[in-house]
Amino acid sequence: MSERDTVVDIENLSRHFVVRRSVGRLRREKRVVRAVDGISFTVGKGECVGYIGANGAGKSTTIKMLTGILVPTSGRVRVCGLEPVRQRRELARRIGVVFGQRSQLWWDLPLAESFRLLAAIHRLPAERARARLERCVELLDLHPFLDTPVRQLSLGQRMRGEVTAALLHSSELLLLDEPTVGLDIVSKEALRSFLSAERAEAGTTVLLTTHDLPDIERCPTGSSWSMAAGWCTSATCPGWRPRPVWTGCSPSS
């Protein structure tokens, strides 16, 4: 795969944390937790890749290093040809991120106002922002609650808003960290259908972490990486069917 066709390029990437705990009354013990330990993989332009593993295997830590939130302990990482930590501001213009347990929307504002603010932050031309928003609103059926404050939305409604916010600036790469957690069946299916349509029409590259195998089945390229205790344990293969390798997986903390 050429560098031009590679959106995510990770080589021997590691992130270690130092944890201290009391041992008796006067002593403190130091322990190094290897949350991510020497992983390597690439994601090509336009691919949809599932990134699966048990709790504590290092999936969210990897996503945070890809976005520049965390500094790697060692290794090399490139996202859209950029170094996430050093070029974080430029990278933010080219990627979209959805964390299932965190929000990028304004809690007390109507959903539509959050979108307007995000369009201004990304300095999108008015016509481009309007066209992009109209498409997302139609495909994700956001019309009924556009004027509702975010704090009053159901989890499924808010998650559809989060995905729209991440794609409003036509991001090249969409990073989804467990986006369907806690959603009902109808909301999950609406989100999966939208992501499939977005990738088919816009060529958006998608990296998805999840515990939900139907999410992985809907990855059109049928690709997966499986995480076990900080290590990638299985890679992409043609005609893939979901069969993650979690043997011996233990939480990293």
Side-chain angles (χ1 to χ4, degrees):
M1 188 183 298
S2 68
E3 187 173 335
R4 179 177 297 181
D5 295 329
T6 302
V7 177
V8 176
D9 185 7
I10 291 176
E11 184 178 350
N12 295 322
L13 189 66
S14 297
R15 173 66 194 198
H16 302 163
F17 296 93
V18 176
V19 178
R20 293 177 173 83
R21 65 174 183 174
S22 298
V23 180
R25 291 186 176 183
L26 301 176
R27 288 184 56 211
R28 287 175 63 84
E29 182 181 77
K30 184 173 71 173
R31 181 170 67 97
V32 176
V33 176
R34 302 175 184 273
V36 175
D37 197 11
I39 65 172
S40 299
F41 66 84
T42 60
V43 178
K45 187 176 182 179
E47 285 189 327
C48 178
V49 176
Y51 193 39
I52 55 182
N55 289 329
K59 305 184 302 299
S60 295
T61 301
T62 305
I63 296 296
K64 289 175 182 176
M65 287 190 286
L66 291 178
T67 58
I69 295 173
L70 285 179
V71 180
T73 302
S74 62
R76 174 181 175 275
V77 57
R78 291 288 188 280
V79 179
C80 299
L82 304 173
E83 295 182 27
V85 174
R86 190 170 64 85
Q87 299 170 288
R88 185 175 175 183
R89 182 173 295 184
E90 184 178 350
L91 181 64
R93 299 190 183 102
R94 300 176 61 179
I95 66 172
V97 187
V98 175
F99 289 102
Q101 303 300 322
R102 291 175 175 82
S103 179
Q104 59 189 313
L105 304 171
W106 279 262
W107 204 242
D108 293 316
L109 292 181
L111 190 59
E113 290 299 319
S114 285
F115 294 149
R116 291 191 186 97
L117 283 171
L118 287 167
I121 289 171
H122 287 290
R123 300 179 181 178
L124 299 180
E127 287 300 321
R128 179 184 167 193
R130 186 180 302 110
R132 186 65 173 157
L133 182 57
E134 286 176 355
R135 180 177 182 276
C136 291
V137 166
E138 180 181 356
L139 290 176
L140 284 169
D141 191 25
L142 303 179
H143 286 288
F145 48 89
L146 272 177
D147 295 323
T148 303
V150 172
R151 57 184 165 78
Q152 295 180 10
L153 299 177
S154 69
L155 180 59
Q157 291 170 338
R158 183 174 65 80
M159 192 53 60
R160 280 182 273 170
E162 296 284 356
V163 172
T164 299
L167 290 171
L168 196 59
H169 56 294
S170 302
S171 50
E172 300 173 35
L173 169 66
L174 180 61
L175 299 166
L176 301 168
D177 190 17
E178 301 183 14
T180 60
V181 64
L183 300 188
D184 58 52
I185 295 175
V186 175
S187 297
K188 285 183 179 181
E189 185 56 32
L191 189 55
R192 291 166 184 157
S193 298
F194 172 76
L195 293 175
S196 296
E198 174 66 21
R199 181 184 170 275
E201 294 181 24
T204 305
T205 304
V206 179
L207 179 60
L208 167 72
T209 79
T210 185
H211 295 265
D212 206 341
L213 289 182
D215 290 345
I216 306 298
E217 289 179 317
R218 294 293 290 271
C219 285
T221 52
S223 306
S224 79
W225 285 93
S226 182
M227 284 291 289
W231 292 77
C232 279
T233 57
S234 66
T236 309
C237 60
W240 177 87
R241 296 294 295 171
R243 189 170 54 85
V245 181
W246 289 339
T247 304
C249 180
S250 60
S252 60
S253 58

